[in-house]
Amino acid sequence: HNGTFWAIDYHGSFSRDLDVLGVDIYPGFAGGPAERPHWHAWYCDTTRGKAGNFIVPELQGGPGGQLGYFHDNLEPGEMRQQVWTSVARGADMVLH
């Protein structure tokens, strides 16, 4: 499962048969480069708190979005920082 949603009780019946919890991280939703490291760490910590170790099945490494909005590019070195932040905060896997 990849997603952390507010309306789900991750400590209840939802997680009983769940093998692993993942969180998709799209840094562009966090705003600019100054906000992204804090936002990313918060998502990793929140997911780890719900499930123990976790995976990051989608980590956006470049501009993305859809009609109506597009995220900016990450700064040089920012992708590496986010991967290591994920691992340091408990991620067993990170995919781009």
Side-chain angles (χ1 to χ4, degrees):
H1 191 277
N2 60 322
T4 52
F5 304 98
W6 301 110
I8 294 176
D9 176 11
Y10 289 92
H11 300 290
S13 61
F14 176 83
S15 298
R16 190 169 300 124
D17 296 322
L18 188 65
D19 292 326
V20 64
L21 182 63
V23 60
D24 297 340
I25 300 178
Y26 298 95
F29 284 121
E35 294 84 22
R36 288 193 289 250
H38 308 288
W39 184 81
H40 184 98
W42 180 85
Y43 261 97
C44 290
D45 289 348
T46 300
T47 305
R48 188 184 68 242
K50 292 175 179 175
N53 284 12
F54 61 97
I55 64 172
V56 180
E58 295 181 26
L59 178 59
Q60 183 180 357
Q66 54 197 9
L67 190 60
Y69 72 90
F70 285 96
H71 301 149
D72 60 342
N73 277 315
L74 299 178
E75 297 294 316
E78 195 172 1
M79 189 72 190
R80 181 180 297 118
Q81 175 194 29
Q82 291 186 7
V83 169
W84 287 117
T85 295
S86 299
V87 171
R89 293 180 176 273
D92 288 326
M93 179 181 73
V94 180
L95 299 173
H96 308 277

